[in-house]
Structure formats: structure tokens, C-alpha cells
């Protein structure tokens, strides 16, 4: 074995003799710095958290608590009588609420499906246009800029049985006028059509942004391989657009389950129960009939169903992402 030289032995001795820095001080300093940063983050976020608590969490807790009482009003004061689960049991026998659930599901399926299909087609067409693209985009997003109350007034005039432009237009081709909003056979389909017209621009904007963010080298490789336009759409565009499609679907599904303004402005829930949706039923029970406790139970049930649907959509997106 080779013995170390005198200089090497001196260097080793110096290193050994040098006092080592205490390891606890840097660790403690890093911990204190991290603690200060976390404390500062919580302090800066606390106003927003308190506002969220005051405007959303506390009203939800109060709504849930009220659903177990029967509330009556006398002389401008409310009195609470414990009802237990009676309000929730009454939901099962409420024919108006059951009709609202069925109509809401039909409305959500057909309205959201139509909006996504029309929005995706328009986004594809707008992406392929080279001249006048800005003009087309402006035209496509105009309906979403119109306030809901104006949308209701416009379509109520257009669909009027006696002097509406729609009936006048179909009369030119020999079709008898239809009572679009006053017939149980056509009222729900008409409301769905109006909602598709109003909210398709929302889907169009999201799909257009998603299409424009797709990598072009994938399309160039597909063209080199001889893929047709349909094959590009099926095997390239749709798989890469799947996250955007799922996010759009989740947004629109939740909003469709909360639909109120179109129904209120166009049909008022009629004729009969043909356009009765859950939000409108809740409005009738809570505000028109002053059933505060029962309306609170109905609100909790609607929130619960909406959360289930949203969770299912998020889980489906996660499974699809994992499969990819």
C-alpha cells in the first residue's frame, strides 16, 4: 500500500482538525423560512377565504339546517317547527318535482349535446377558414352577448302563434302555424332549441381555443401517412381534444341543470308540466308558496344531484386521461 506524502498528510490533518459547522442551524433556518412563507400565504389568502365562507359555506349550512324545519310566517316574524326528515320524504311524492327532474334531465341531455355538436362543427369550420375569420367569429359569438331577458323577449315574439315570424315563414311553404310555446308536444323542444341558440357560442369559443392549441406537426405526420380528412378528425383531432370536450361538457351540464330564465320567460313551466324543471319548481315552492323548509330540502336535493353529476364527469375525464 502506498503511503501518503507529507503534503497530503498535512491537508488531511487540516480537514480533520477543522471544526465542522453545526448541521442543525441551516435546517432550522430553512424550516423557519418555510414557516414564514406559509404563514404569509395564509395571511394574504385569509380575506378571500373569509369572504368565501360568508357568501357560500355559511348559507349552505343554514340551508341544510332549515331543511329539517317547517317555517311559518306571522306578523313579519318566522317560527320554526322541527320536521325531521318529513320534508325529504315529501319530495318522493311531489309529482311536480318528479316532472321537474325528468324534464331537467331531458333538457340537459339534448341541450348540452346540441350545443357541443354545433359548437364543435362551427369551431372546425372557423379553423379551416383563412379569409374573414374575424368576421365569422364575431357573428358566431353574438348570441351569448345578448342578456337572457332579451333572449326571452326576442324568441317569444318570433314564436308567437298569431304574428310570429317563424309561423309566417313556414306558412310560405304551406305548413300550418304551430303553437310552439303553448303546446305540450313542442314547448320543451322549443325551449331546448332556444337554449342551444343562446349557449352554442360558449362551446364554440372553448373548442376554437382548443383546436388552435393543437400541435400542427401531428397533422403534418398524418398527411404524410396519407390520412384523409375524416381519419384526421377521428384519430387525431378528437383524441387530442378530449380534455377540452370533457371540461366543456362539465361546465354546460352544471349550467343546464340550473336552467331557469328561458323557462320562466318563455313558458312559465307550462303548458301543464311539459317545461317544468327543477329550478322552476324550487322557485314556485320557495317563493310563491312560502314553503321555506320544504324549499330548502328541495334545494339540498338539487345540489346533491348536481354534485353527483359533476363528480361523474370529472371521474370520466380522469379515466379517459388515464386510458390515453
Amino acid at each position: 500500500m502506498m503511503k501518503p506524502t507529507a503534503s497530503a498528510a498535512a491537508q488531511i490533518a487540516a480537514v480533520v482538525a477543522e471544526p465542522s459547522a453545526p448541521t442543525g442551524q441551516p435546517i432550522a433556518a430553512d424550516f423557519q423560512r418555510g414557516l414564514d412563507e406559509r404563514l404569509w400565504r395564509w395571511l394574504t389568502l385569509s380575506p378571500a377565504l373569509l369572504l368565501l365562507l360568508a357568501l357560500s359555506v355559511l348559507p349552505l349550512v343554514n340551508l341544510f339546517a332549515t331543511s329539517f324545519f317547517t317555517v311559518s310566517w306571522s306578523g313579519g316574524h318566522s317560527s320554526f317547527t322541527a320536521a325531521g326528515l318529513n320534508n325529504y320524504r315529501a319530495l318522493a311524492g311531489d309529482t311536480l318535482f318528479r316532472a321537474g327532474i325528468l324534464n331537467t334531465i331531458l333538457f340537459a341531455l339534448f341541450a348540452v349535446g346540441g350545443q357541443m355538436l354545433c359548437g364543435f362543427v362551427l369551431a372546425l369550420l372557423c379553423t379551416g377558414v383563412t379569409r374573414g375569420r374575424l368576421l365569422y367569429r364575431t357573428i358566431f359569438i353574438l348570441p351569448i352577448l345578448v342578456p337572457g331577458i332579451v333572449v326571452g323577449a326576442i324568441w317569444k315574439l318570433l314564436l308567437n302563434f298569431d304574428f310570429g315570424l317563424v309561423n309566417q315563414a313556414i306558412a310560405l311553404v304551406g305548413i300550418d302555424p304551430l303553437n310552439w310555446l303553448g303546446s305540450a308536444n313542442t314547448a320543451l323542444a322549443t325551449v331546448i332549441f332556444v337554449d342551444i341558440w343562446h349557449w352554442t357560442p360558449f362551446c364554440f369559443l372553448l373548442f376554437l381555443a382548443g383546436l388552435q392549441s393543437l400541435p400542427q406537426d401531428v397533422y403534418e405526420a398524418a398527411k404524410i401517412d396519407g390520412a384523409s380528412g375524416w381519419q384526421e378528425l377521428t384519430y387525431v383531432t378528437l383524441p387530442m381534444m378530449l380534455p377540452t370536450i370533457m371540461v366543456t361538457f362539465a361546465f354546460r351540464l352544471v349550467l343546464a341543470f340550473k336552467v331557469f330564465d328561458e323557462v320562466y320567460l318563455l313558458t312559465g313551466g307550462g303548458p301543464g308540466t311539459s317545461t317544468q324543471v327543477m329550478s322552476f319548481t324550487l322557485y314556485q315552492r320557495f317563493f310563491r308558496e312560502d314553503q321555506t323548509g320544504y324549499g330548502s330540502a328541495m334545494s339540498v336535493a338539487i345540489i346533491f344531484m348536481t354534485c353527483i353529476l359533476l363528480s361523474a364527469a370529472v371521474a370520466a375525464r380522469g379515466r379517459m386521461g388515464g386510458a390515453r
Side-chain angles (χ1 to χ4, degrees):
M1 179 180 295
M2 182 181 295
K3 295 183 179 181
T5 61
S7 61
Q11 292 177 1
I12 294 173
V15 171
V16 172
E18 185 181 61
S20 59
T23 57
Q25 292 181 0
I27 296 176
D30 293 341
F31 177 77
Q32 183 65 34
R33 191 181 304 110
L35 183 63
D36 294 341
E37 291 178 356
R38 288 193 295 270
L39 180 61
W40 175 250
R41 290 172 188 167
W42 279 109
L43 288 175
T44 54
L45 288 175
S46 57
L49 292 175
L50 291 175
L51 184 63
L52 177 65
L53 180 68
L55 297 181
S56 60
V57 178
L58 292 180
L60 283 175
V61 173
N62 182 56
L63 183 72
F64 183 72
T66 307
S67 67
F68 295 100
F69 293 89
T70 299
V71 183
S72 57
W73 301 86
S74 177
H77 299 283
S78 60
S79 60
F80 290 75
T81 305
L85 297 176
N86 292 335
N87 289 330
Y88 290 97
R89 294 191 188 101
L91 289 175
D94 192 338
T95 56
L96 201 62
F97 184 62
R98 291 204 302 267
I101 293 176
L102 178 60
N103 290 333
T104 303
I105 292 174
L106 293 175
F107 178 89
L109 290 177
F110 287 99
V112 174
Q115 292 160 17
M116 294 188 66
L117 179 61
C118 295
F120 192 75
V121 171
L122 291 177
L124 283 175
L125 294 176
C126 193
T127 304
V129 172
T130 56
R131 299 182 59 183
R133 184 180 300 178
L134 181 60
L135 175 62
Y136 293 135
R137 291 179 186 176
T138 305
I139 294 174
F140 291 156
I141 67 174
L142 281 178
I144 203 174
L145 302 178
V146 182
I149 190 170
V150 179
V151 171
I154 290 173
W155 282 101
K156 200 158 189 177
L157 290 174
L158 290 174
L159 298 169
N160 187 274
F161 179 77
D162 298 315
F163 56 82
L165 292 179
V166 175
N167 279 337
Q168 293 184 23
I170 64 176
L172 297 177
V173 295
I175 301 176
D176 295 332
L178 295 174
N179 194 359
W180 300 99
L181 299 174
S183 172
N185 297 324
T186 58
L188 183 60
T190 303
V191 174
I192 291 174
F193 172 80
V194 173
D195 192 73
I196 291 175
W197 177 85
H198 190 198
W199 287 104
T200 291
F202 177 83
C203 300
F204 164 74
L205 290 175
L206 292 182
F207 288 146
L208 183 63
L211 288 172
Q212 291 180 343
S213 65
L214 298 180
Q216 295 302 313
D217 54 348
V218 180
Y219 289 96
E220 294 174 359
K223 290 178 181 178
I224 293 174
D225 292 338
S228 62
W230 176 255
Q231 289 174 331
E232 285 185 6
L233 176 64
T234 306
Y235 298 106
V236 179
T237 304
L238 287 178
M240 291 194 297
M241 282 289 294
L242 193 58
T244 304
I245 292 173
M246 292 305 301
V247 169
T248 306
F249 176 75
F251 270 114
R252 284 305 307 144
L253 186 67
V254 172
L255 292 177
F257 262 78
K258 299 192 301 179
V259 61
F260 176 80
D261 48 355
E262 285 95 345
V263 174
Y264 180 80
L265 295 169
L266 293 175
T267 63
T273 59
S274 58
T275 59
Q276 192 79 27
V277 293
M278 292 189 299
S279 298
F280 193 79
T281 306
L282 174 62
Y283 163 75
Q284 289 180 304
R285 295 290 191 240
F286 206 106
F287 294 102
R288 287 187 176 179
E289 301 174 7
D290 270 342
Q291 299 186 40
T292 306
Y294 182 66
S296 300
M298 191 178 294
S299 302
V300 172
I302 294 173
I303 293 172
F304 180 72
M305 287 185 285
T306 305
C307 290
I308 290 177
L309 287 173
L310 184 59
S311 300
V314 172
R317 181 192 173 192
R319 286 195 297 269
M320 291 179 180
R324 292 178 60 197

